[in-house]
């Protein structure tokens, strides 16, 4: 294996999801073998139809009897046959996932067929009804009718989302969301006319705890988060939601470091009751190992990260500046500069490597501080802690089991900060607020809203 090949493989690997690639490869086989193009609607120079030419072999064209095998005779039989083949594959993958779950319960997930084929496969906290989800996706996107475009990465990602929604709806008690590109566009805020707001309220009325788990870190500063969520909080206020309902909404900032609960409080400006966020002190919800993180150890790790980020900015001549916070450090573009994805990934991967080396060299003399390095789309940040810890903290604090928790986010590649949550809960991988709206519209009809909340 050449050095060039190894380098290219490494660069590609962090941009792919192995399970989705595996399913896509399976579905590609029937597409290649059976999805033939439609029979051309043509006439010969003598005005004979192509059907006549294929049937009789007459005419002046070069079409012969064997050419009929190159085309699909009828649309509906082809679609039905393709659909059946795709469904058989999805049913088989569904069974492999179930076998993997059974092995995991016995403590030997590595013995499953799926693990042998996809070694990096994550934990499945619920069954996944992939056959039913494929039927739903096919009705929306006509997958089985397509003759030139095979089932794509996004097709399969959406099918997995639908299957997860179907599976978790009866038992879900906690749903968490990323912020940027999940609930609102990157760098913007919640607006009052967001179509997601009625859906979030419906989730709360159904008894779910709803939490935003975001990398944005403002230590103990509820006002900063209220600014980002102003439109949402205003609608809560306008609809005069009860305190009982509002207490089901949380914000966890800095990945896992700053927790806030929604509720009614006095406005600092007018003294009138308004809906806002109240800071919850770490001693109330953080486990002892988090509380044991020492300030000097955190700052030393951030110093190492900052040094590497500065080196990356200099080496690649990036028009970016360093931004240091109490539990985070990152690079942000100067002005309206757009930093290339490859440059951002270089910063992420090199900083991850540097911090891992630093922790290995430190040995047992220091507490190992968990961290997260991620590509935010046009910036790179190193946060203390990660969303895995964040979701686990919420599960413990709110009494939600992994199989009753789902995290919705857009950063599920290995350089994203939603990726780690796969180890602690079910996940929905979306790519925009519009897709978040879509999965919530699938979920909310499956929930039961108590009569007193309707």
């Amino acid at each position: 294996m050449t050095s060039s090949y190894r380098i290219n493989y490494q660069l590609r690997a962090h941009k792919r999801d192995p399970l989705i690639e595996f399913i896509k490869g399976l579905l590609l086989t029937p597409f290649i073998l059976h999805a033939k193009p439609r029979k051309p609607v043509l006439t010969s120079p003598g005005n004979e139809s192509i059907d006549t030419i294929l049937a009789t072999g007459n005419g002046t064209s070069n079409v012969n009897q064997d050419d009929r095998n190159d085309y699909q005779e009828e649309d509906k039989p082809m679609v039905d046959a393709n659909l059946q083949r795709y469904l058989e594959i999805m049913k088989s993958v569904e069974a492999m996932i179930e076998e993997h779950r059974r092995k995991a319960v016995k403590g030997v997930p590595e013995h499953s067929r799926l693990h042998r084929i996809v070694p990096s496969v994550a934990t499945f906290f619920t069954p996944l009804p992939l056959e039913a989800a494929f039927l739903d996706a096919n009705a929306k996107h006509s997958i089985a009718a397509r003759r030139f475009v095979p089932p794509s990465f996004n097709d399969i990602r959406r099918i997995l989302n639908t299957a997860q929604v179907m599976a978790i709806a009866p038992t879900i008690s906690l749903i968490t969301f990323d912020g940027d590109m999940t609930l609102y566009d990157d760098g913007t805020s919640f607006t009052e006319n967001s179509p997601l707001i009625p859906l979030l309220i419906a989730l709360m009325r159904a008894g779910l705890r709803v939490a935003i788990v975001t990398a944005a870190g403002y230590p103990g500063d509820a006002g900063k988060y209220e600014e980002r969520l102003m439109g949402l909080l205003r609608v809560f206020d306008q609809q005069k939601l009860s305190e009982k309902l509002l207490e089901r909404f949380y914000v966890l900032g800095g990945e896992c470091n700053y927790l806030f609960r929604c509720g009614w409080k006095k406005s600092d400006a007018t003294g009138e009751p308004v809906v806002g966020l109240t800071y919850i002190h770490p001693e109330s919800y953080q486990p002892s190992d988090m509380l044991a993180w020492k300030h000097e150890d955190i700052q030393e790790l951030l110093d190492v990260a900052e040094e590497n980020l500065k080196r990356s900015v200099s080496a690649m001549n990036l028009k970016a500046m360093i931004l240091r916070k109490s539990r985070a450090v990152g690079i942000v573009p100067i002005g309206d500069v757009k930093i290339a994805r490859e440059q951002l990934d270089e910063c992420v991967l090199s900083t991850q490597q540097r911090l891992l080396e630093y922790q290995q060299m430190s040995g047992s003399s220091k507490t190992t501080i968990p961290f997260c390095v991620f590509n935010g789309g046009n910036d790179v940040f190193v946060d203390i802690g990660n969303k895995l810890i964040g979701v686990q903290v919420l599960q413990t604090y709110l009494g939600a089991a992994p199989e009753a928790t789902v995290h919705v986010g857009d950063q599920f590649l290995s350089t994203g900060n939603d990726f780690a949550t796969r180890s602690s809960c079910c996940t929905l991988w979306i790519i925009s607020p519009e897709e978040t709206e879509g999965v919530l519209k699938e979920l909310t009809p499956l929930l039961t809203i108590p009569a007193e909340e309707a």
Side-chain angles (χ1 to χ4, degrees):
M1 184 181 292
T2 66
S3 175
S4 176
Y5 183 90
R6 286 196 299 270
I7 291 171
N8 289 335
Y9 179 83
Q10 181 180 4
L11 292 177
R12 289 196 304 268
H14 67 272
K15 297 188 178 301
R16 294 184 176 182
D17 181 276
L19 178 62
I20 292 180
E21 294 294 335
F22 167 62
I23 298 174
K24 187 172 77 168
L26 293 178
L27 296 175
L28 188 60
T29 299
F31 176 84
I32 291 173
L33 295 179
H34 302 289
K36 298 178 182 179
R38 292 179 182 87
K39 188 163 50 182
V41 181
L42 301 171
T43 58
S44 71
N47 291 324
E48 293 178 279
S49 72
I50 192 69
D51 286 332
T52 301
I53 294 171
L54 289 175
T56 65
N58 295 330
T60 57
S61 86
N62 292 326
V63 179
N64 58 51
Q65 188 74 14
D66 293 335
D67 288 333
R68 75 166 60 246
N69 295 324
D70 294 340
Y71 303 110
Q72 194 70 43
E73 289 296 325
E74 298 180 47
D75 279 354
K76 191 173 186 306
M78 182 279 289
V79 173
D80 291 344
N82 281 356
L83 178 59
Q84 188 58 41
R85 295 181 187 106
Y86 288 148
L87 290 178
E88 288 174 0
I89 289 172
M90 300 308 281
K91 187 67 175 177
S92 297
V93 176
E94 189 176 321
M96 293 176 74
I97 289 173
E98 272 304 286
E99 189 230 5
H100 182 75
R101 296 181 70 238
R102 290 194 299 272
K103 298 292 186 184
V105 170
K106 295 177 181 178
V108 286
E110 66 276 8
H111 291 177
S112 74
R113 290 176 60 218
L114 185 59
H115 185 275
R116 290 196 294 270
I117 298 169
V118 187
S120 62
V121 69
T123 303
F124 296 94
F125 295 100
T126 68
L128 288 182
L130 295 177
E131 186 180 24
F134 188 94
L135 283 169
D136 182 85
N138 188 64
K140 296 175 182 176
H141 303 292
S142 307
I143 299 172
R146 297 191 324 227
R147 303 164 186 261
F148 293 92
V149 179
S152 68
F153 181 96
N154 283 328
D155 285 326
I156 298 162
R157 178 180 55 78
R158 288 189 291 259
I159 289 167
L160 289 168
N161 286 345
T162 298
Q164 187 60 82
V165 166
M166 291 175 173
I168 201 172
T171 59
I172 185 172
S173 64
L174 171 63
I175 183 168
T176 63
F177 296 89
D178 178 35
D180 288 349
M181 293 308 295
T182 299
L183 295 174
Y184 36 79
D185 289 333
D186 194 23
T188 64
S189 303
F190 239 128
T191 59
E192 292 182 50
N193 59 358
S194 169
L196 291 173
I197 294 178
L199 295 167
L200 295 177
I201 294 174
L203 296 176
M204 294 158 63
R205 291 191 187 281
L208 275 65
R209 266 64 173 189
V210 177
I212 298 176
V213 182
T214 174
Y218 312 113
D221 189 350
K224 291 287 188 179
Y225 293 104
E226 289 172 347
E227 288 178 14
R228 297 294 301 273
L229 304 175
M230 184 59 69
L232 176 67
L233 299 178
R234 280 179 178 168
V235 175
F236 286 174
D237 192 303
Q238 292 164 3
Q239 295 196 10
K240 303 301 179 186
L241 299 185
S242 67
E243 186 71 18
K244 177 183 177 182
L245 207 60
L246 292 176
E247 286 181 351
R248 295 174 185 162
F249 185 81
Y250 295 82
V251 176
L252 184 57
E255 309 283 0
C256 60
N257 290 291
Y258 317 112
L259 182 61
F260 301 82
R261 180 192 290 115
C262 189
W264 289 96
K265 65 180 187 178
K266 286 187 178 181
S267 168
D268 293 335
T270 65
E272 297 294 321
V274 295
V275 174
L277 300 174
T278 300
Y279 180 60
I280 301 175
H281 290 282
E283 293 77 8
S284 302
Y285 68 92
Q286 289 185 0
S288 58
D289 55 342
M290 279 188 70
L291 295 172
W293 296 348
K294 295 180 180 179
H295 176 75
E296 54 268 28
D297 291 342
I298 290 173
Q299 297 310 310
E300 187 172 325
L301 185 142
L302 293 177
D303 288 343
V304 175
E306 181 175 347
E307 178 188 4
N308 193 84
L309 289 171
K310 286 180 177 178
R311 187 182 301 114
S312 297
V313 169
S314 175
M316 291 186 286
N317 296 315
L318 301 180
K319 293 182 178 179
M321 60 181 288
I322 300 293
L323 180 61
R324 179 76 177 254
K325 300 182 179 182
S326 61
R327 290 201 168 192
V329 63
I331 61 169
V332 295
I334 297 173
D336 296 327
V337 172
K338 178 67 177 175
I339 303 176
R341 184 181 65 180
E342 291 78 7
Q343 292 172 312
L344 295 170
D345 284 343
E346 172 68 20
C347 293
V348 170
L349 296 171
S350 66
T351 305
Q352 282 178 342
Q353 180 67 22
R354 178 67 187 94
L355 291 176
L356 290 172
E357 291 172 350
Y358 158 75
Q359 290 187 329
Q360 289 172 353
M361 292 170 59
S362 299
S364 58
S365 60
K366 295 180 183 293
T367 301
T368 299
I369 304 291
F371 65 87
C372 173
V373 190
F374 66 96
N375 176 349
N378 200 33
D379 55 33
V380 170
F381 267 89
V382 180
D383 287 336
I384 298 301
N386 53 51
K387 288 188 180 180
L388 167 62
I389 297 173
V391 170
Q392 290 174 334
V393 162
L394 287 171
Q395 288 172 330
T396 302
Y397 185 62
L398 301 174
E403 62 272 17
T405 305
V406 65
H407 177 71
V408 186
D410 69 305
Q411 294 286 335
F412 280 104
L413 293 174
S414 61
T415 53
N417 62 341
D418 294 309
F419 180 79
T421 62
R422 287 180 167 179
S423 299
S424 62
C425 67
C426 306
T427 59
L428 300 177
W429 185 351
I430 55 80
I431 61 171
S432 67
E434 291 74 23
E435 279 204 359
T436 302
E437 180 185 358
V439 296
L440 293 186
K441 283 182 175 178
E442 291 179 2
L443 175 61
T444 49
L446 302 177
L447 302 175
T448 301
I449 299 179
E452 65 272 16
E453 299 290 0

